[in-house]
């Protein structure tokens, strides 16, 4: 008997955008006996395969896929058609109708284009936006959303420690935009507070954040700074931690998805739209802040960035301790 045809997901987005779809992709996988393959950034594809979300992943940067962005057929058209032929349908995360046209030109079966995020004016979480579009396309049952986490969602790994003492807390002070970052000196002060509480704070810096490594190591407190070369290494580092603190970033989304108790600090971006999803999560914003989230609407933040400056070190430490001591 012929094996069921797999589904192909095309998602050219960055880490946070892709991880925010992982729960919905797990639901798709659960309903597709043939599984799902992915076309995405190469390093993201390796992560998704490592997590068991994609069977196989293909690098969207590959020259072979460039023809999809063309308005007219090109010399690679036959090879593209052969690539797409085994799939029963394509789920395309893109806001570009031209890319949908390019895929439809080489693939005669259904192509479902989903804008990767809701319009900036809508207070809708990216996860709920994607779920609603998949359900409207008939790829998911609306009842699938009744369970908070789909089958295959990582379980929370709680280690036997009393309170916060002895726990390793991973701190990522970066993000995809400096506009979203709590000041580095406050992250360092938070690490000092956690150390006084008997915890073991360690820092994470991404490949594009060598400046953070330099600045953290300039401090005389002798901090451990991890700089994982690959997302699969980052995944194992996060999974081994007892807690995590970071800004609104792709790393924060990944930590929460992995079941690590995650404290995410939000300033100009909107947690209603972008907070990570996980089994142990706390979102911290500035107390008394009256600013409207401006990150997706304005080119710069307000003078003084009150939405970030209003989050104190003690606020972050106390919230993290509450999170770690919760059920």
């Amino acid at each position: 008997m012929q094996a069921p045809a797999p589904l192909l997901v095309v998602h050219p987005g960055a880490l946070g955008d892709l991880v925010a779809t992982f729960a919905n992709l797990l639901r798709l996988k659960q309903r597709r006996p043939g599984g799902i393959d992915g076309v995405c950034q190469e390093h993201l594809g390796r992560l998704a395969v490592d997590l068991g979300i994609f069977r196989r992943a293909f690098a969207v940067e590959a020259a072979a896929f460039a023809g999809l962005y063309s308005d007219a057929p090109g010399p690679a058209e036959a090879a593209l058609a052969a690539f797409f032929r085994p799939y029963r349908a394509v789920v395309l995360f893109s806001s570009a109708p031209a890319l949908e046209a390019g895929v439809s030109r080489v693939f005669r079966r259904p192509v479902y284009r989903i804008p990767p995020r809701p319009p900036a004016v809508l207070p809708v979480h990216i996860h709920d936006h994607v779920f609603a579009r998949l359900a409207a396309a008939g790829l998911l049952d609306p009842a699938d959303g009744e369970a908070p986490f789909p089958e295959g969602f990582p379980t929370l790994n709680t280690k036997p420690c009393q309170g916060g003492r002895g726990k390793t807390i991973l701190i990522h002070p970066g993000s995809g935009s400096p506009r979203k970052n709590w000041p580095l000196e406050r992250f360092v002060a938070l690490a000092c507070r956690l150390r006084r509480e008997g915890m073991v704070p360690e820092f994470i810096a991404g490949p594009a954040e060598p400046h953070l490594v330099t600045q953290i190591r300039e401090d005389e407190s002798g901090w451990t700074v991890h700089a994982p070369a690959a997302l699969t290494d980052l995944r194992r580092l996060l999974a081994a931690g007892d807690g995590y603190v970071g800004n609104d970033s792709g790393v924060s989304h990944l930590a929460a998805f992995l079941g690590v108790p995650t404290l995410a600090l939000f300033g100009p971006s909107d947690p209603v739209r972008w907070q990570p999803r996980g089994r142990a999560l706390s979102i911290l914003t500035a107390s008394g802040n009256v600013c409207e989230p401006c990150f997706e609407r304005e080119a710069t933040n307000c003078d003084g960035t009150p939405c970030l400056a209003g989050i104190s070190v003690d606020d972050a430490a106390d919230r993290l301790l509450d999170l770690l001591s919760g059920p």
Side-chain angles (χ1 to χ4, degrees), residues 14 19 32 54 80 107 127 134 139 187 222 226 241 257 272 305 321:
V19 175
R32 293 291 175 276
F54 292 153
L80 282 169
F107 183 69
H127 166 91
L134 290 171
L139 296 169
F187 277 111
H226 301 277
F257 175 82
V272 172
T305 319
L321 288 169

Side-chain angles (χ1 to χ4, degrees), residues 150-178:
E151 180 182 325
F153 200 93
T155 56
L156 181 60
N157 181 20
T158 53
K159 300 178 184 178
C161 294
Q162 183 176 1
R165 298 195 65 82
K167 290 184 180 289
T168 298
I169 307 301
L170 299 166
I171 300 173
H172 177 229
S175 74
S177 170

Side-chain angles (χ1 to χ4, degrees), residues 187-199:
F187 277 111
V188 173
L190 173 63
C192 292
R193 165 76 188 274
L194 298 180
R195 185 179 274 179
R196 291 195 298 271
E197 297 282 350
M199 289 179 261

Side-chain angles (χ1 to χ4, degrees), residues 226-274:
H226 301 277
L231 286 176
T232 49
D233 298 328
L234 174 62
R235 173 243 173 145
R236 284 182 274 277
L237 174 65
L238 291 171
D242 299 294
Y244 168 90
V245 183
N247 301 299
D248 170 21
S249 71
V251 180
S252 297
H253 278 274
L254 181 58
F257 175 82
L258 293 172
V260 183
T262 295
L263 173 62
L265 311 180
F266 272 75
S269 53
D270 189 351
V272 172
R273 290 168 52 83
W274 287 106

